[in-house]
Amino acid sequence: MSVKPLTIGELTAGIPVIQGGMGVGVSLSGLAGAVAAKGGIGIISTAQIGFREPDYHQNPHEANLRAVKKEIRRAKELAHGGIVGVNIMVATRHYEEYVRAAIEAGADVIISGAGLPVTLPEIASGVPVPGNGQPVKLAPIVSSLKSANVIFRYWMKKYKYLPDMVVIEGPLAGGHLGFTEEQLRDIPGMHFEEEADRILEAAEAFGKEQGKEIPVVMAGGVYTGEEAGKWISRGLSGVQMATRFVTTEECDAHPAYKQAYIDAKEEDIVLVKSPVGMPGRAIRNTFLQKAGKGAIPHGKCHGCIKTCNPADTPYCITEALIRAVEGDVENGLLFCGSNACRSERMETVGTILDEVADALK
Ligand SMILES: Cc1cc2nc3c(=O)[nH]c(=O)nc-3n(C[C@H](O)[C@H](O)[C@H](O)COP(=O)(O)O)c2cc1C
């Protein structure tokens, strides 16, 4: 038996695995290019992506837009024809400009969450695609049937457009979570599988009306091929995995970041309140202890998130994430999924994708 590929319009990934976007700097061209080259879909996070540019502190906005293009082009080179996309958070300041820059650089897919990407089709329409490329594929991230329906209805009414793919992000995911703290206190009680079934049904119903196939993929808590298979046997078209890819040779984070995952035990993985205004999941360290005691002073604002007010933020999330990805794992914010404690050793992208593909045969 062979693995059923993930098809998004005319794009086909031989292995139905999307590597989830991880900011800041955890999934750049190195990881995304490797995943795409091996038959999955590689996703670059655009969150403060220019942090390694020499002029980042003077002019973060320009540095970020330049780096979006650089990273996409480099990932596409590494991918040898594989599928490369970006993750752009709706909460990003100048969101529209990141969407345009990604399309101009040739991103195949835009996955967008941390807020509902209600105007994404309008922003993307009319942006020239390089070469003879196909129009970019648009994929909202949703965490409930309610938000999925808002997107389906609004996009249809305003733009006569349905998503090219839907990413369902559940409560076990890493980074920011689309749930309340109260909901996250009883994850088994959420019965999220049933919510995923309902989102899938809605995508099928809207798709059928318009004669469009909308692949739906599951993100959050998928670590092995067997776990991917469980979602696929429920009718989903694939999975998005992020945490598993952190402990790979190809991941763009500092080796100390990867080691922090390998060292983390279940009790080290905690929920945090992020300045973005959503809960997040991270590895307990000195930084979180300090943040629990009061505001942490920060430097000049980089203008990253629409909802952050630098005057009263408990800490600067950009500074904290950059410190972590550059290897200062005690003083940085180490975002992770609930499965980070399952990381035991360094792997390669190829071995993970082979394992998943084998399990799906
Ligand atoms: C370190 C880290 C950073 C993340 N950053 C982002 C981000 O910038 N934007 C986003 O939409 N999702 C982000 N995520 C969520 C992932 O893209 C993905 O959907 C989720 O983590 C999948 O669950 P898993 O980690 O259990 O596989 C992040 C996840 C991790 C682990």
PDB file of all heavy atoms in Angstrom, residues 20-23 26 45 47 87 89 141 169 172-175 219-222 240-243 257 261 335-337 339, ligand 1:
ATOM      1  N   GLY A  20       4.802  22.577  11.035  1.00  0.00           N
ATOM      2  CA  GLY A  20       4.185  23.825  11.479  1.00  0.00           C
ATOM      3  C   GLY A  20       5.181  24.963  11.605  1.00  0.00           C
ATOM      4  O   GLY A  20       6.333  24.759  12.000  1.00  0.00           O
ATOM      5  N   GLY A  21       4.733  26.172  11.282  1.00  0.00           N
ATOM      6  CA  GLY A  21       5.570  27.363  11.416  1.00  0.00           C
ATOM      7  C   GLY A  21       5.903  27.608  12.877  1.00  0.00           C
ATOM      8  O   GLY A  21       5.032  27.487  13.731  1.00  0.00           O
ATOM      9  N   MET A  22       7.158  27.933  13.171  1.00  0.00           N
ATOM     10  CA  MET A  22       7.573  28.172  14.556  1.00  0.00           C
ATOM     11  C   MET A  22       8.414  29.432  14.649  1.00  0.00           C
ATOM     12  O   MET A  22       9.520  29.525  14.115  1.00  0.00           O
ATOM     13  CB  MET A  22       8.378  26.968  15.079  1.00  0.00           C
ATOM     14  CG  MET A  22       7.549  25.707  15.249  1.00  0.00           C
ATOM     15  SD  MET A  22       8.530  24.319  15.837  1.00  0.00           S
ATOM     16  CE  MET A  22       9.200  23.676  14.315  1.00  0.00           C
ATOM     17  N   GLY A  23       7.833  30.431  15.351  1.00  0.00           N
ATOM     18  CA  GLY A  23       8.554  31.681  15.521  1.00  0.00           C
ATOM     19  C   GLY A  23       9.041  31.789  16.957  1.00  0.00           C
ATOM     20  O   GLY A  23       8.538  31.111  17.836  1.00  0.00           O
ATOM     21  N   VAL A  26      12.587  29.596  14.695  1.00  0.00           N
ATOM     22  CA  VAL A  26      12.771  28.145  14.888  1.00  0.00           C
ATOM     23  C   VAL A  26      12.549  27.415  13.557  1.00  0.00           C
ATOM     24  O   VAL A  26      13.246  26.456  13.239  1.00  0.00           O
ATOM     25  CB  VAL A  26      11.836  27.613  16.005  1.00  0.00           C
ATOM     26  CG1 VAL A  26      12.006  26.115  16.196  1.00  0.00           C
ATOM     27  CG2 VAL A  26      12.103  28.347  17.317  1.00  0.00           C
ATOM     28  N   SER A  45       8.198  30.448   9.597  1.00  0.00           N
ATOM     29  CA  SER A  45       7.447  31.428  10.394  1.00  0.00           C
ATOM     30  C   SER A  45       7.977  32.816  10.061  1.00  0.00           C
ATOM     31  O   SER A  45       9.194  33.048  10.092  1.00  0.00           O
ATOM     32  CB  SER A  45       7.655  31.164  11.886  1.00  0.00           C
ATOM     33  OG  SER A  45       7.291  32.322  12.605  1.00  0.00           O
ATOM     34  N   ALA A  47       7.356  35.434  11.875  1.00  0.00           N
ATOM     35  CA  ALA A  47       7.412  36.241  13.105  1.00  0.00           C
ATOM     36  C   ALA A  47       8.829  36.782  13.328  1.00  0.00           C
ATOM     37  O   ALA A  47       9.764  36.001  13.513  1.00  0.00           O
ATOM     38  CB  ALA A  47       6.977  35.396  14.303  1.00  0.00           C
ATOM     39  N   ASN A  87       3.964  30.828   7.630  1.00  0.00           N
ATOM     40  CA  ASN A  87       2.971  31.033   8.669  1.00  0.00           C
ATOM     41  C   ASN A  87       3.045  32.510   9.043  1.00  0.00           C
ATOM     42  O   ASN A  87       4.098  32.998   9.458  1.00  0.00           O
ATOM     43  CB  ASN A  87       3.306  30.150   9.881  1.00  0.00           C
ATOM     44  CG  ASN A  87       2.373  30.389  11.047  1.00  0.00           C
ATOM     45  OD1 ASN A  87       2.243  31.506  11.546  1.00  0.00           O
ATOM     46  ND2 ASN A  87       1.714  29.343  11.493  1.00  0.00           N
ATOM     47  N   MET A  89       1.144  35.334  11.384  1.00  0.00           N
ATOM     48  CA  MET A  89       0.135  35.523  12.430  1.00  0.00           C
ATOM     49  C   MET A  89      -0.699  36.773  12.128  1.00  0.00           C
ATOM     50  O   MET A  89      -0.147  37.835  11.814  1.00  0.00           O
ATOM     51  CB  MET A  89       0.814  35.690  13.795  1.00  0.00           C
ATOM     52  CG  MET A  89       1.474  34.414  14.284  1.00  0.00           C
ATOM     53  SD  MET A  89       1.983  34.563  15.997  1.00  0.00           S
ATOM     54  CE  MET A  89       3.290  35.768  15.860  1.00  0.00           C
ATOM     55  N   ILE A 141      -6.029  28.960  10.172  1.00  0.00           N
ATOM     56  CA  ILE A 141      -5.932  28.049  11.330  1.00  0.00           C
ATOM     57  C   ILE A 141      -7.156  28.323  12.193  1.00  0.00           C
ATOM     58  O   ILE A 141      -7.421  29.485  12.532  1.00  0.00           O
ATOM     59  CB  ILE A 141      -4.670  28.314  12.171  1.00  0.00           C
ATOM     60  CG1 ILE A 141      -3.408  28.199  11.323  1.00  0.00           C
ATOM     61  CG2 ILE A 141      -4.607  27.371  13.374  1.00  0.00           C
ATOM     62  CD1 ILE A 141      -2.122  28.548  12.077  1.00  0.00           C
ATOM     63  N   GLU A 169      -6.211  23.618  14.830  1.00  0.00           N
ATOM     64  CA  GLU A 169      -5.177  23.547  15.865  1.00  0.00           C
ATOM     65  C   GLU A 169      -5.827  23.255  17.211  1.00  0.00           C
ATOM     66  O   GLU A 169      -6.624  24.047  17.714  1.00  0.00           O
ATOM     67  CB  GLU A 169      -4.348  24.829  15.916  1.00  0.00           C
ATOM     68  CG  GLU A 169      -3.020  24.568  16.592  1.00  0.00           C
ATOM     69  CD  GLU A 169      -2.113  25.771  16.536  1.00  0.00           C
ATOM     70  OE1 GLU A 169      -2.435  26.765  17.207  1.00  0.00           O
ATOM     71  OE2 GLU A 169      -1.099  25.722  15.833  1.00  0.00           O
ATOM     72  N   LEU A 172      -3.307  20.806  22.374  1.00  0.00           N
ATOM     73  CA  LEU A 172      -2.002  20.252  22.750  1.00  0.00           C
ATOM     74  C   LEU A 172      -0.845  20.907  21.982  1.00  0.00           C
ATOM     75  O   LEU A 172       0.317  20.530  22.144  1.00  0.00           O
ATOM     76  CB  LEU A 172      -1.981  18.731  22.501  1.00  0.00           C
ATOM     77  CG  LEU A 172      -3.025  17.927  23.284  1.00  0.00           C
ATOM     78  CD1 LEU A 172      -3.005  16.461  22.875  1.00  0.00           C
ATOM     79  CD2 LEU A 172      -2.778  18.059  24.790  1.00  0.00           C
ATOM     80  N   ALA A 173      -1.161  21.876  21.132  1.00  0.00           N
ATOM     81  CA  ALA A 173      -0.159  22.487  20.241  1.00  0.00           C
ATOM     82  C   ALA A 173       0.843  23.353  21.014  1.00  0.00           C
ATOM     83  O   ALA A 173       0.704  23.575  22.214  1.00  0.00           O
ATOM     84  CB  ALA A 173      -0.873  23.337  19.196  1.00  0.00           C
ATOM     85  N   GLY A 174       1.841  23.835  20.277  1.00  0.00           N
ATOM     86  CA  GLY A 174       2.833  24.741  20.860  1.00  0.00           C
ATOM     87  C   GLY A 174       2.535  26.181  20.468  1.00  0.00           C
ATOM     88  O   GLY A 174       1.658  26.436  19.659  1.00  0.00           O
ATOM     89  N   GLY A 175       3.304  27.086  21.037  1.00  0.00           N
ATOM     90  CA  GLY A 175       3.103  28.502  20.731  1.00  0.00           C
ATOM     91  C   GLY A 175       1.799  29.001  21.321  1.00  0.00           C
ATOM     92  O   GLY A 175       1.311  28.471  22.321  1.00  0.00           O
ATOM     93  N   ALA A 219      -3.495  19.839  13.710  1.00  0.00           N
ATOM     94  CA  ALA A 219      -2.252  20.273  14.364  1.00  0.00           C
ATOM     95  C   ALA A 219      -2.419  20.198  15.872  1.00  0.00           C
ATOM     96  O   ALA A 219      -3.484  20.508  16.392  1.00  0.00           O
ATOM     97  CB  ALA A 219      -1.931  21.706  13.967  1.00  0.00           C
ATOM     98  N   GLY A 220      -1.333  19.789  16.548  1.00  0.00           N
ATOM     99  CA  GLY A 220      -1.362  19.811  18.013  1.00  0.00           C
ATOM    100  C   GLY A 220      -1.367  18.428  18.601  1.00  0.00           C
ATOM    101  O   GLY A 220      -2.361  17.709  18.531  1.00  0.00           O
ATOM    102  N   GLY A 221      -0.210  18.026  19.125  1.00  0.00           N
ATOM    103  CA  GLY A 221      -0.147  16.745  19.834  1.00  0.00           C
ATOM    104  C   GLY A 221       0.120  15.542  18.948  1.00  0.00           C
ATOM    105  O   GLY A 221       0.022  14.420  19.414  1.00  0.00           O
ATOM    106  N   VAL A 222       0.448  15.756  17.687  1.00  0.00           N
ATOM    107  CA  VAL A 222       0.773  14.617  16.811  1.00  0.00           C
ATOM    108  C   VAL A 222       2.287  14.449  16.809  1.00  0.00           C
ATOM    109  O   VAL A 222       3.019  15.365  16.424  1.00  0.00           O
ATOM    110  CB  VAL A 222       0.281  14.863  15.360  1.00  0.00           C
ATOM    111  CG1 VAL A 222       0.614  13.649  14.493  1.00  0.00           C
ATOM    112  CG2 VAL A 222      -1.212  15.152  15.343  1.00  0.00           C
ATOM    113  N   GLN A 240      -0.396  18.531  10.842  1.00  0.00           N
ATOM    114  CA  GLN A 240       0.684  19.519  10.966  1.00  0.00           C
ATOM    115  C   GLN A 240       1.430  19.201  12.247  1.00  0.00           C
ATOM    116  O   GLN A 240       0.832  19.109  13.317  1.00  0.00           O
ATOM    117  CB  GLN A 240       0.106  20.936  10.993  1.00  0.00           C
ATOM    118  CG  GLN A 240       1.163  21.994  11.290  1.00  0.00           C
ATOM    119  CD  GLN A 240       0.702  23.412  10.993  1.00  0.00           C
ATOM    120  OE1 GLN A 240       0.520  23.768   9.837  1.00  0.00           O
ATOM    121  NE2 GLN A 240       0.518  24.223  12.014  1.00  0.00           N
ATOM    122  N   MET A 241       2.748  19.004  12.123  1.00  0.00           N
ATOM    123  CA  MET A 241       3.575  18.674  13.286  1.00  0.00           C
ATOM    124  C   MET A 241       4.659  19.732  13.451  1.00  0.00           C
ATOM    125  O   MET A 241       5.291  20.111  12.469  1.00  0.00           O
ATOM    126  CB  MET A 241       4.271  17.314  13.059  1.00  0.00           C
ATOM    127  CG  MET A 241       3.307  16.144  13.002  1.00  0.00           C
ATOM    128  SD  MET A 241       4.048  14.649  12.277  1.00  0.00           S
ATOM    129  CE  MET A 241       5.345  14.264  13.430  1.00  0.00           C
ATOM    130  N   ALA A 242       4.877  20.153  14.677  1.00  0.00           N
ATOM    131  CA  ALA A 242       5.907  21.166  14.905  1.00  0.00           C
ATOM    132  C   ALA A 242       6.933  20.697  15.934  1.00  0.00           C
ATOM    133  O   ALA A 242       8.121  20.578  15.637  1.00  0.00           O
ATOM    134  CB  ALA A 242       5.257  22.470  15.337  1.00  0.00           C
ATOM    135  N   THR A 243       6.459  20.385  17.143  1.00  0.00           N
ATOM    136  CA  THR A 243       7.366  20.011  18.240  1.00  0.00           C
ATOM    137  C   THR A 243       8.352  18.915  17.821  1.00  0.00           C
ATOM    138  O   THR A 243       9.543  18.989  18.117  1.00  0.00           O
ATOM    139  CB  THR A 243       6.509  19.554  19.454  1.00  0.00           C
ATOM    140  OG1 THR A 243       5.755  20.692  19.883  1.00  0.00           O
ATOM    141  CG2 THR A 243       7.347  19.029  20.580  1.00  0.00           C
ATOM    142  N   TYR A 257      18.677  25.135  22.396  1.00  0.00           N
ATOM    143  CA  TYR A 257      17.208  25.137  22.358  1.00  0.00           C
ATOM    144  C   TYR A 257      16.716  23.697  22.189  1.00  0.00           C
ATOM    145  O   TYR A 257      15.822  23.231  22.898  1.00  0.00           O
ATOM    146  CB  TYR A 257      16.758  26.001  21.179  1.00  0.00           C
ATOM    147  CG  TYR A 257      15.290  26.360  21.135  1.00  0.00           C
ATOM    148  CD1 TYR A 257      14.858  27.622  21.513  1.00  0.00           C
ATOM    149  CD2 TYR A 257      14.334  25.466  20.670  1.00  0.00           C
ATOM    150  CE1 TYR A 257      13.516  27.977  21.448  1.00  0.00           C
ATOM    151  CE2 TYR A 257      12.997  25.806  20.603  1.00  0.00           C
ATOM    152  CZ  TYR A 257      12.590  27.065  20.994  1.00  0.00           C
ATOM    153  OH  TYR A 257      11.267  27.406  20.926  1.00  0.00           O
ATOM    154  N   TYR A 261      14.604  20.858  24.869  1.00  0.00           N
ATOM    155  CA  TYR A 261      13.486  19.947  24.593  1.00  0.00           C
ATOM    156  C   TYR A 261      13.835  18.532  25.070  1.00  0.00           C
ATOM    157  O   TYR A 261      13.031  17.848  25.684  1.00  0.00           O
ATOM    158  CB  TYR A 261      13.191  19.898  23.095  1.00  0.00           C
ATOM    159  CG  TYR A 261      12.161  20.894  22.582  1.00  0.00           C
ATOM    160  CD1 TYR A 261      12.215  22.237  22.936  1.00  0.00           C
ATOM    161  CD2 TYR A 261      11.139  20.483  21.729  1.00  0.00           C
ATOM    162  CE1 TYR A 261      11.283  23.143  22.447  1.00  0.00           C
ATOM    163  CE2 TYR A 261      10.208  21.380  21.225  1.00  0.00           C
ATOM    164  CZ  TYR A 261      10.287  22.702  21.585  1.00  0.00           C
ATOM    165  OH  TYR A 261       9.365  23.590  21.092  1.00  0.00           O
ATOM    166  N   PHE A 335       8.951  28.321  23.706  1.00  0.00           N
ATOM    167  CA  PHE A 335       7.656  27.775  23.314  1.00  0.00           C
ATOM    168  C   PHE A 335       7.812  26.299  22.958  1.00  0.00           C
ATOM    169  O   PHE A 335       8.838  25.894  22.389  1.00  0.00           O
ATOM    170  CB  PHE A 335       7.123  28.525  22.086  1.00  0.00           C
ATOM    171  CG  PHE A 335       6.248  29.705  22.402  1.00  0.00           C
ATOM    172  CD1 PHE A 335       6.084  30.731  21.482  1.00  0.00           C
ATOM    173  CD2 PHE A 335       5.553  29.781  23.602  1.00  0.00           C
ATOM    174  CE1 PHE A 335       5.267  31.814  21.751  1.00  0.00           C
ATOM    175  CE2 PHE A 335       4.725  30.861  23.878  1.00  0.00           C
ATOM    176  CZ  PHE A 335       4.580  31.877  22.953  1.00  0.00           C
ATOM    177  N   CYS A 336       6.789  25.515  23.244  1.00  0.00           N
ATOM    178  CA  CYS A 336       6.835  24.090  22.869  1.00  0.00           C
ATOM    179  C   CYS A 336       5.429  23.515  22.878  1.00  0.00           C
ATOM    180  O   CYS A 336       4.524  24.098  23.473  1.00  0.00           O
ATOM    181  CB  CYS A 336       7.696  23.316  23.870  1.00  0.00           C
ATOM    182  SG  CYS A 336       6.906  23.143  25.478  1.00  0.00           S
ATOM    183  N   GLY A 337       5.251  22.393  22.228  1.00  0.00           N
ATOM    184  CA  GLY A 337       3.985  21.678  22.289  1.00  0.00           C
ATOM    185  C   GLY A 337       3.973  20.745  23.482  1.00  0.00           C
ATOM    186  O   GLY A 337       5.017  20.519  24.129  1.00  0.00           O
ATOM    187  N   ASN A 339       4.044  17.749  23.667  1.00  0.00           N
ATOM    188  CA  ASN A 339       4.875  16.552  23.491  1.00  0.00           C
ATOM    189  C   ASN A 339       6.382  16.797  23.610  1.00  0.00           C
ATOM    190  O   ASN A 339       7.162  15.867  23.365  1.00  0.00           O
ATOM    191  CB  ASN A 339       4.617  15.944  22.108  1.00  0.00           C
ATOM    192  CG  ASN A 339       3.345  15.126  22.095  1.00  0.00           C
ATOM    193  OD1 ASN A 339       3.023  14.477  23.089  1.00  0.00           O
ATOM    194  ND2 ASN A 339       2.626  15.165  20.988  1.00  0.00           N
TER     195      ASN A 339
HETATM  196  C1  LIG B   1       8.388  26.591  19.223  1.00  0.00           C
HETATM  197  C2  LIG B   1       7.055  26.772  18.559  1.00  0.00           C
HETATM  198  C3  LIG B   1       6.754  27.990  17.970  1.00  0.00           C
HETATM  199  C4  LIG B   1       5.533  28.179  17.328  1.00  0.00           C
HETATM  200  N1  LIG B   1       5.294  29.362  16.703  1.00  0.00           N
HETATM  201  C5  LIG B   1       4.136  29.544  16.009  1.00  0.00           C
HETATM  202  C6  LIG B   1       3.899  30.759  15.306  1.00  0.00           C
HETATM  203  O1  LIG B   1       4.739  31.660  15.261  1.00  0.00           O
HETATM  204  N2  LIG B   1       2.719  30.893  14.645  1.00  0.00           N
HETATM  205  C7  LIG B   1       1.769  29.885  14.647  1.00  0.00           C
HETATM  206  O2  LIG B   1       0.703  30.054  14.041  1.00  0.00           O
HETATM  207  N3  LIG B   1       1.990  28.715  15.289  1.00  0.00           N
HETATM  208  C8  LIG B   1       3.141  28.522  15.949  1.00  0.00           C
HETATM  209  N4  LIG B   1       3.382  27.321  16.581  1.00  0.00           N
HETATM  210  C9  LIG B   1       2.377  26.227  16.446  1.00  0.00           C
HETATM  211  C10 LIG B   1       2.806  25.221  15.365  1.00  0.00           C
HETATM  212  O3  LIG B   1       2.849  25.797  14.100  1.00  0.00           O
HETATM  213  C11 LIG B   1       1.903  23.967  15.298  1.00  0.00           C
HETATM  214  O4  LIG B   1       0.655  24.217  14.758  1.00  0.00           O
HETATM  215  C12 LIG B   1       1.701  23.240  16.611  1.00  0.00           C
HETATM  216  O5  LIG B   1       2.749  23.403  17.501  1.00  0.00           O
HETATM  217  C13 LIG B   1       1.499  21.759  16.307  1.00  0.00           C
HETATM  218  O6  LIG B   1       1.496  20.993  17.460  1.00  0.00           O
HETATM  219  P1  LIG B   1       2.763  20.105  17.904  1.00  0.00           P
HETATM  220  O7  LIG B   1       3.817  21.076  18.265  1.00  0.00           O
HETATM  221  O8  LIG B   1       2.219  19.335  19.051  1.00  0.00           O
HETATM  222  O9  LIG B   1       3.149  19.236  16.742  1.00  0.00           O
HETATM  223  C14 LIG B   1       4.584  27.115  17.262  1.00  0.00           C
HETATM  224  C15 LIG B   1       4.904  25.895  17.862  1.00  0.00           C
HETATM  225  C16 LIG B   1       6.112  25.709  18.501  1.00  0.00           C
HETATM  226  C17 LIG B   1       6.424  24.376  19.117  1.00  0.00           C
END
